[in-house]
Amino acid sequence: MKQNYKIGIIGATGMVGQRFITLLHDHPWYTIEVLAASPRSAGKPYSEAVGAKWAMDEEIPASVRDMIVMDATADIEKIAATVDFVFCAVDMKKDEIKALEEAYAKAECPVISNNSAHRATKDVPMIIPEINADHAEIIHAQRKRLGTKRGFIAVKSNCSLQSYVPALHPLSEFGITKCLATTYQAISGAGKTFETWPEMIDNLIPFIGGEEEKSEVEPMKIWGKIEGDEIVPATTPSITTQCLRVPVSNGHTAAVFVSFEKKPTIEQIKEAWKNFSGEPQALNLPHAPKQFLHYFEEDNRPQAKLDRDAEGGMAVSIGRLREDKQYDYKFVCLSHNTLRGAAGGAVLMAELLTAKGYMD
């Protein structure tokens, strides 16, 4: 592993791109060398290109304020020659994103993607670092298909399932048979603030396009196994979801109902959560939470406003574990959707892959 890696952020003016900047501008391993966006932003200093769209609480970091934005599509070869790898969070059509990310990979530039376009691609790993770090091994097969030596694509999963899948995973030893999860998703997940989306104030929308399908399908890939040159999804447990948009700025909450082959006790479940950790903790990665899963005994926790920033927004908070009349147990989960769920999860995945040598 090198001492320092030059990185680029593709889609730097969007909300997730902005979050990437706040997480990476003072990173101990990475230096931001390139910011890229659409042609209408290209050629402008970043502060001018993002303008009033800057939605982070902190100011634009001085190190990128005057950086000239490059064209994410027209400047691929130039960007690939400048950086060691890129983070990608673009707002384009799905087929355009797939083509764009493959173009960077074929230019021998690894892509850490926040986009959904390649999540179903069988040799593209979709990694929650504490859960399926071993899926990184499929990169060798992907490079063979793409004809690359360094280039590859790795994606993070949908932000909504980042709240409840980490809580379910340590319980798999008890044989999860079925799960129902209803997610209550913050407006930042749609790239919005209350200033840009006043219709969400005092409102709830019971539909988020494509979200329920992703929330039911993507966990199966995360829990799948590498067989030959592809990741074969798991077939159990059975998951059904319902996803609602709620008037919260940041933080996705999930109400979870779960049944088991071998029903554990409440104490066994809490112990499994308390003791669970993964490779990010073992490797002491810069953005790894010390305690990944936090359980609250109080009846009124976790709360988005109080708990979404736990361990820099990279931990998952859990509460209200109790028995249920139709399922074995029910509980509530919370994760920060633009940190653990989006940019932060992608940065942690990049750190994992860097530590494992995939960026060299």
Side-chain angles (χ1 to χ4, degrees):
M1 191 174 122
K2 299 194 303 184
Q3 292 297 311
N4 188 268
Y5 294 78
K6 297 176 180 178
I7 60 106
I9 300 171
I10 313 301
T13 57
M15 186 172 284
V16 176
Q18 294 173 31
R19 182 65 79 182
F20 274 130
I21 288 173
T22 65
L23 291 171
L24 293 164
H25 75 95
D26 58 354
H27 195 281
W29 298 356
Y30 307 144
T31 301
I32 300 173
E33 290 287 334
V34 168
L35 300 177
S38 66
R40 65 179 176 272
S41 297
K44 300 176 183 177
Y46 181 72
S47 59
E48 179 184 337
V50 72
K53 291 191 298 179
W54 182 258
M56 301 295 104
D57 291 334
E58 54 267 67
E59 292 185 358
I60 300 173
S63 58
V64 303
R65 174 175 289 277
D66 298 322
M67 191 175 287
I68 301 300
V69 176
M70 299 180 72
D71 189 314
T73 303
D75 295 332
I76 291 174
E77 294 294 334
K78 191 174 180 181
I79 292 169
T82 303
V83 302
D84 292 301
F85 67 94
V86 296
F87 293 91
C88 189
V90 294
D91 183 12
M92 300 165 66
K93 294 178 180 177
K94 190 171 182 177
D95 58 341
E96 294 173 344
I97 295 172
K98 291 183 79 169
L100 181 74
E101 292 181 344
E102 283 211 0
Y104 276 95
K106 288 179 178 179
E108 299 293 0
C109 180
V111 178
I112 304 299
S113 177
N114 186 73
N115 304 302
S116 66
H118 274 291
R119 289 180 192 159
T121 305
K122 292 183 178 181
D123 59 7
V124 171
M126 180 167 61
I127 297 173
I128 297 178
E130 286 86 352
I131 294 176
N132 62 331
D134 60 307
H135 281 197
E137 294 171 14
I138 200 67
I139 288 170
H140 301 297
Q142 186 193 145
R143 283 172 168 165
K144 183 179 177 182
R145 174 177 64 85
L146 294 175
T148 60
K149 293 180 179 179
R150 288 190 70 251
F152 67 86
I153 302 161
V155 299
K156 57 155 287 299
S157 64
N158 185 264
C159 56
S160 65
L161 59 90
Q162 302 265 346
S163 56
Y164 61 89
V165 167
L168 290 172
H169 185 72
L171 308 182
S172 58
E173 64 176 299
F174 305 112
I176 300 170
T177 57
K178 62 179 180 176
C179 170
L180 182 154
T182 297
T183 58
Y184 304 85
Q185 300 183 204
I187 62 173
S188 56
K192 303 286 188 179
T193 64
F194 287 117
E195 288 73 24
T196 60
W197 200 5
E199 296 85 0
M200 272 307 301
I201 297 172
D202 191 30
N203 196 14
L204 182 152
I205 299 175
F207 173 73
I208 307 172
E211 202 76 0
E212 289 163 3
E213 293 84 352
K214 295 173 189 174
S215 298
E216 293 171 358
V217 171
E218 291 184 16
M220 298 298 103
K221 183 173 182 178
I222 291 164
W223 286 323
K225 301 291 183 185
I226 295 175
E227 294 182 13
D229 290 343
E230 63 182 53
I231 298 168
V232 178
T235 56
T236 58
S238 171
I239 296 180
T240 185
T241 65
Q242 192 158 241
C243 302
L244 297 81
R245 187 74 70 192
V246 295
V248 172
S249 59
N250 291 297
H252 287 356
T253 298
V256 183
F257 301 76
V258 62
S259 290
F260 301 92
E261 291 175 5
K262 299 169 289 184
K263 183 179 177 180
T265 65
I266 285 178
E267 290 71 26
Q268 285 177 309
I269 292 175
K270 290 180 181 179
E271 196 69 14
W273 286 335
K274 180 181 177 182
N275 294 331
F276 181 71
S277 65
E279 285 203 43
Q281 287 72 36
L283 294 169
N284 196 28
L285 299 178
H287 279 86
K290 296 292 184 282
Q291 179 69 40
F292 181 30
L293 305 177
H294 291 242
Y295 185 79
F296 290 89
E297 295 289 350
E298 299 93 329
D299 287 339
N300 63 346
R301 305 283 287 278
Q303 292 182 29
K305 205 166 187 177
L306 298 177
D307 304 311
R308 60 193 170 203
D309 292 318
E311 300 216 34
M314 293 300 289
V316 174
S317 297
I318 312 169
R320 300 207 68 210
L321 173 64
R322 60 221 191 271
E323 292 199 49
D324 184 65
K325 293 178 181 178
Q326 295 185 21
Y327 288 72
D328 286 336
Y329 290 104
K330 53 190 171 187
F331 52 87
V332 175
C333 302
L334 168 73
S335 65
H336 196 302
N337 56 294
T338 69
L339 288 167
R340 168 55 73 166
V347 170
L348 186 61
M349 178 170 61
E351 292 170 353
L352 174 73
L353 296 175
T354 299
K356 286 177 166 288
Y358 288 97
M359 303 305 190
D360 294 336

